[in-house]
Amino acid sequence: MRHQTPLRRERQRRIAVRLERQKIIDRPDGPELNFILSESALRRNLGDRATMREQLSHIATLANRPNVTIQVFPLDAQTYVIASYNFITLRFGQEVASDVVYLETFTDADYLDSPEAIRAYNRLWDRLRAAALGPAESRRLILRIADEMK
């Protein structure tokens, strides 16, 4: 039996945790997930072309799930909203009052739950969603970018 290094064990542990988390999405009562991805993120090469194509194809497959909505914020979007904010709104139940905005920074993370912050991020989300391509158009663009990776 080969000895595993601590780094290898940690990598395997992280993979196992991610695979377990992915099962939650597949449950019949799984969460509703909505994403807006910048087109620039889809076009940024991380790894070789085959890996990028595989990743983009996987995103397009996820977009077919009934509980997943993926929209792409195109490079030429006509909006005054700056699309460089990374945030996650977590909703627990149906009430907006239960929302929490999660902001991840380079060295830390913040959770915002004040009504003013929630309203501001909900408005930002609505503006980004309005400027983004629709789900079907977004999926087609993702697949086209994947095809460009051949």
Side-chain angles (χ1 to χ4, degrees):
M1 180 188 214
R2 204 171 91 188
H3 175 70
Q4 289 188 342
T5 66
L7 181 60
R8 183 176 169 89
R9 279 194 303 274
E10 176 60 18
R11 186 178 311 129
Q12 288 177 333
R13 186 194 68 78
R14 287 181 182 199
I15 290 170
V17 167
R18 287 182 180 179
L19 291 173
E20 193 62 33
R21 254 193 329 233
Q22 285 180 9
K23 290 179 185 176
I24 295 169
I25 297 170
D26 293 328
R27 292 189 327 214
D29 65 337
E32 183 180 324
L33 303 169
N34 298 284
F35 301 92
I36 299 174
L37 304 175
S38 171
E39 181 179 347
S40 63
L42 299 173
R43 292 187 178 280
R44 187 171 301 121
N45 287 320
L46 300 171
D48 61 29
R49 294 174 77 76
T51 300
M52 287 298 299
R53 186 173 53 254
E54 184 179 323
Q55 292 297 312
L56 292 166
S57 296
H58 179 68
I59 292 170
T61 299
L62 290 175
N64 280 331
R65 294 183 180 196
N67 61 326
V68 176
T69 301
I70 297 176
Q71 292 180 260
V72 175
F73 191 85
L75 294 172
D76 62 353
Q78 299 295 313
T79 181
Y80 63 92
V81 176
I82 298 172
S84 62
Y85 299 102
N86 293 318
F87 66 96
I88 298 171
T89 301
L90 304 167
R91 179 163 288 160
F92 305 95
Q94 299 300 315
E95 297 298 319
V96 175
S98 70
D99 287 2
V100 175
V101 172
Y102 172 73
L103 303 170
E104 196 171 277
T105 64
F106 182 64
T107 60
D108 203 359
D110 287 315
Y111 292 90
L112 308 177
D113 61 0
S114 74
E116 300 81 26
I118 299 300
R119 275 193 299 278
Y121 278 93
N122 283 342
R123 280 192 306 271
L124 175 60
W125 177 259
D126 289 342
R127 289 178 179 147
L128 291 171
R129 202 172 71 201
L133 300 174
E137 294 169 293
S138 294
R139 186 172 187 283
R140 283 192 296 272
L141 177 60
I142 292 166
L143 290 171
R144 191 170 69 240
I145 295 170
D147 195 51
E148 293 170 7
M149 296 290 168
K150 289 184 178 176

